[in-house]
Amino acid sequence: MGQRVAMTGNIAVANAMRQINPDVCAAYPITPSTEIMQQFSSFVADGLVKTVLVPAESEHSAMSACIGAAGAGGRVMTATSSQGLALMWEMLFIAAGNRLPIVLAMANRALSAPINIHGDTSDAMGARDSGWIQIFSENAQEAYDNLIQAVRIAEHLDVRLPVMVGMDGFIISHSIESMELLEDEAVRDFVGEYIPNRPLLDIQNPRTYGPLDLQDYYIEHKRQEYEAMKNAKSVILEVARDFSDRFGREYGLFESYRLDDAEVAIVVLNSAAGTVKTVIDALRADGVKAGLLKPRIFRPFPADEIAAALSGVKAVCVMDRADGVNAVGGPLFPEFRSALYDSNPRPMMINKVFGLGGRDLGLHHVREVFAELQTIAETGKIETLAEYITVRN
Amino acid sequence: MAITEVRWHARAGQGAVTAAKVLAEATMAQGEYVQAFPEYGPERMGAPLRAYNRISDKPLTMHCQVTDPNVVIVVDSSLLGTQDVTEGTPEDAVFLVNTAHSPEEIAEKLGRPVDRVVTVDATQISIDCLGRPIPNTPLLGALSRATGLVGLDVLLEDLAVNLKKKFPEKIVQGNIASVERAYKEVKGI
């Protein structure tokens, strides 16, 4: 069906964009996502896509141009990382509030200062409350598959929200891996033709986007945005089912890896989940009931499903490759812990902030976390609730 | 599951990242699962650089760094004095070094058994075959012979297909000739 290739996450994502063939793509280059737009601009120059490419003067302008183009009725995509996403911050809320189905490919990277170009999810966590749907990817294959599905999720009339799809900067964006590229025609059929909903360029039916909205209606519009985010959960699953029916790869709200009978489990996003799987296989061979919950969808946050999946586990470590610097743990931790609050039974939970700025998470680090979880499961006692690992003391 | 991990030691600009990519593509063509990734630091020509491969008959899920490679390839032998190319390697790791020196001389320098060290003068071979010192491609030929990690036929076919996309026939043929010569001339097998 598809073609087995060895390519980097960035090139895989650029190929997904080529196959999706958006109407408009406005972007500003930033490491490690630069290669996505570099490759995609070659596709534009070679006439392989019909996309109007807008090289903007900043990420703020790039997102502004995306908002204008999406409001006009175009299918719109962009890519960024780190400071680029941070500079878009103001416009992210406008894209979501105006219910514009923009799709953003994100090579996750640390935020300054100190300046660092490597992979962590600080950038995405800065945008977690912007009203964008957030999807995360373990490897190049998932980044590619997720981006293709993101188009249908964003454009679904029950949703109409922008979507960002993350993968770890460098670790995935710049690493070559074996994966499958789908056929161009199959991707085009899957995403379908874009039918704009209430576009500005429909001049027979004039409309306004982004007018002043005070005490009279602002909260109703925000409530609609909230309902759309709630709707997104079932749409994400529906799109995943169709993807799996056509292409065979299954996706959900999160991936449960050997979790059904697990006594100890790790929750972790992106590429680190793959490293954790390797350790789980080894531990299972030694009779340790270890498992993984890898969130795919962080917004909307699938709290009920997470609670059901983790309720029976004795001890869970939520691992954050970002720190919100609230001094009690990384950004995933309070949400996962809160999701389990009403569960009975519920696991004991700890948090580790790890791998900031691309610091390696080795197999031995993961083994140490599982060993600590086993002790917690046996003794019922937590020594340290939240701490940094993979760090010098 | 057998995973082979390869570490490349080179200087930026010598084509080690490209070589790791070619090795990934060729071993994937053999039906294996592959990874190829460089270590990104300050990017300047001539700076010491490491690149890595993982090759396995089962899907690879780990995304940590390669810390204890089974195979070490030294593209620039001037690094032998400044970099610890044996770092983290098990006792039975294979070292492939681009040098005019013999495996015995290099084994002594590395402090490793001579039967785990192979050498090839890949720089001279590339000058002869391509007119330029680009040792990465011939090293792949030597690697094929020394480890059997990638079949010579698969490697030559992959190079022929991929180089043709970017380079004229003369350069494609020069690369193929350099791989064949390094395959024959590698010492210490």
Side-chain angles (χ1 to χ4, degrees):
Chain A
M1 182 173 60
Q3 183 195 357
R4 250 175 83 73
V5 293
M7 57 174 57
T8 65
N10 276 344
I11 301 300
V13 163
N15 272 288
M17 289 173 68
R18 174 181 60 75
Q19 295 174 317
I20 291 162
N21 194 3
D23 297 306
V24 177
C25 187
Y28 184 86
I30 180 164
T31 304
S33 64
T34 304
E35 207 184 4
I36 299 173
M37 289 314 303
Q38 183 185 337
Q39 180 67 57
F40 187 71
S41 3
S42 300
F43 293 147
V44 174
D46 292 344
L48 298 178
V49 288
K50 302 177 314 216
T51 310
V52 175
L53 190 69
V54 185
E57 76 275 22
S58 76
E59 285 88 354
H60 189 282
S61 304
M63 185 46 66
S64 301
C66 287
I67 289 167
R75 179 178 268 166
V76 179
M77 299 183 82
T78 187
T80 196
S81 292
S82 185
Q83 307 306 120
L85 189 65
L87 189 55
M88 282 180 184
W89 197 78
E90 180 187 25
M91 304 315 292
L92 293 177
F93 288 75
I94 294 173
N98 279 328
R99 310 287 302 282
L100 299 171
I102 298 162
V103 172
L104 182 152
M106 168 175 62
N108 293 121
R109 165 185 154 183
L111 286 172
S112 291
I115 193 164
N116 179 300
I117 56 169
H118 286 278
D120 73 32
T121 48
S122 306
D123 49 5
M125 291 302 138
R128 67 177 185 176
D129 298 339
S130 63
W132 283 59
I133 291 168
Q134 291 191 314
I135 307 182
F136 290 91
S137 323
E138 182 181 324
N139 50 36
Q141 183 75 68
E142 291 191 6
Y144 171 85
D145 291 350
N146 282 336
L147 201 71
I148 291 166
Q149 293 178 60
V151 175
R152 287 248 312 252
I153 296 163
E155 291 171 3
H156 196 287
L157 287 179
D158 294 344
V159 179
R160 292 283 298 184
L161 285 171
V163 181
M164 54 181 75
V165 177
M167 63 179 161
D168 279 337
F170 285 102
I171 301 169
I172 299 304
S173 70
H174 283 62
S175 292
I176 293 165
E177 285 189 296
S178 336
M179 58 166 286
E180 186 201 16
L181 270 192
L182 301 170
E183 284 172 9
D184 293 358
E185 203 56 41
V187 175
R188 256 158 228 174
D189 282 352
F190 181 82
V191 296
E193 194 170 331
Y194 181 45
I195 302 154
N197 184 40
R198 301 189 178 91
L200 279 172
L201 288 182
D202 177 5
I203 53 173
Q204 300 308 317
N205 298 289
R207 302 172 203 284
T208 301
Y209 274 73
L212 191 64
D213 195 14
L214 300 176
Q215 297 98 321
D216 49 357
Y217 271 108
Y218 179 86
I219 194 170
E220 280 76 20
H221 287 127
K222 293 318 276 186
R223 163 77 181 275
Q224 287 180 343
E225 200 181 323
Y226 158 79
E227 294 293 343
M229 189 59 92
K230 274 182 36 173
N231 294 343
K233 206 160 72 175
S234 60
V235 170
I236 287 163
L237 291 174
E238 180 188 314
V239 171
R241 265 193 302 276
D242 188 30
F243 189 89
S244 156
D245 288 346
R246 294 183 196 220
F247 309 124
R249 283 187 292 278
E250 299 207 2
Y251 290 92
L253 300 168
F254 48 81
E255 181 187 350
S256 298
Y257 187 77
R258 309 188 85 161
L259 193 60
D260 283 351
D261 65 338
E263 292 177 351
V264 287
I266 283 176
V267 173
V268 71
L269 289 170
N270 276 7
S271 70
T275 306
V276 171
K277 285 177 186 171
T278 304
V279 174
I280 289 173
D281 289 345
L283 289 174
R284 285 273 174 175
D286 292 342
V288 179
K289 290 186 174 172
L292 164 77
L293 187 149
K294 178 188 79 184
R296 172 176 179 243
I297 309 298
F298 186 55
R299 289 289 180 271
F301 187 69
D304 294 344
E305 293 82 355
I306 285 166
L310 292 177
S311 169
V313 182
K314 286 181 183 162
V316 172
C317 179
V318 178
M319 294 181 61
D320 272 289
R321 201 167 205 150
D323 188 4
V325 208
N326 64 0
V328 287
L332 295 189
F333 186 46
E335 301 211 19
F336 274 80
R337 214 161 160 232
S338 162
L340 270 303
Y341 185 79
D342 293 320
S343 298
N344 185 20
R346 65 173 182 231
M348 303 190 74
M349 297 178 82
I350 56 168
N351 179 240
K352 305 285 182 198
V353 170
F354 76 99
L356 302 187
R359 175 64 57 83
D360 189 37
L361 178 79
L363 299 172
H364 63 287
H365 296 119
V366 179
R367 277 196 293 268
E368 283 164 19
V369 171
F370 273 122
E372 185 178 340
L373 288 174
Q374 283 179 272
T375 307
I376 291 170
E378 280 158 24
T379 61
K381 281 190 194 129
I382 289 173
E383 291 278 332
T384 309
L385 184 67
E387 65 175 347
Y388 272 53
I389 59 166
T390 66
V391 65
R392 289 183 184 86
N393 281 316
Chain B
M1 167 167 69
I3 301 178
T4 304
E5 294 182 319
V6 181
R7 183 169 70 209
W8 298 75
H9 291 270
R11 294 187 183 277
Q14 289 177 328
V17 177
T18 307
K21 182 172 188 270
V22 172
L23 180 59
E25 284 168 348
T27 45
M28 193 188 72
Q30 289 181 160
E32 278 157 301
Y33 293 86
V34 296
Q35 292 179 349
F37 49 102
E39 200 167 83
Y40 286 92
E43 292 172 34
R44 54 182 198 275
M45 294 284 276
L49 167 152
R50 294 174 179 203
Y52 305 92
N53 284 109
R54 265 195 196 100
I55 299 160
S56 168
D57 54 358
K58 301 267 164 47
L60 287 160
T61 60
M62 64 178 80
H63 283 104
C64 44
Q65 284 171 14
V66 168
T67 51
D68 43 359
N70 322 80
V71 179
V72 174
I73 303 169
V74 182
V75 181
D76 188 321
S77 60
S78 72
L79 291 168
L80 289 176
T82 61
Q83 301 265 305
D84 180 9
V85 302
T86 62
E87 187 189 336
T89 54
E91 270 306 304
D92 62 351
V94 173
F95 293 82
L96 166 61
V97 181
N98 170 26
T99 176
H101 291 282
S102 69
E104 289 76 13
E105 289 168 291
I106 299 297
E108 195 184 331
K109 199 163 187 172
L110 294 177
R112 289 301 176 107
V114 69
D115 65 348
R116 309 310 291 168
V117 177
V118 293
T119 63
V120 66
D121 195 351
T123 302
Q124 188 59 50
I125 291 174
S126 69
I127 289 170
D128 293 348
C129 296
L130 291 156
R132 293 172 61 196
I134 317 167
N136 60 350
T137 331
L139 276 168
L140 288 166
L143 179 74
S144 168
R145 176 88 180 278
T147 64
L149 204 53
V150 56
L152 183 64
D153 296 349
V154 181
L155 183 59
L156 291 176
E157 195 184 321
D158 186 82
L159 281 171
V161 171
N162 284 306
L163 290 175
K164 254 179 207 155
K165 291 178 194 162
K166 284 187 188 170
F167 299 106
E169 188 60 18
K170 198 180 152 201
I171 293 181
V172 177
Q173 288 311 319
N175 273 285
I176 287 174
S178 76
V179 170
E180 286 173 333
R181 224 183 101 183
Y183 185 88
K184 284 185 202 125
E185 292 182 13
V186 62
K187 288 179 273 186
I189 302 293

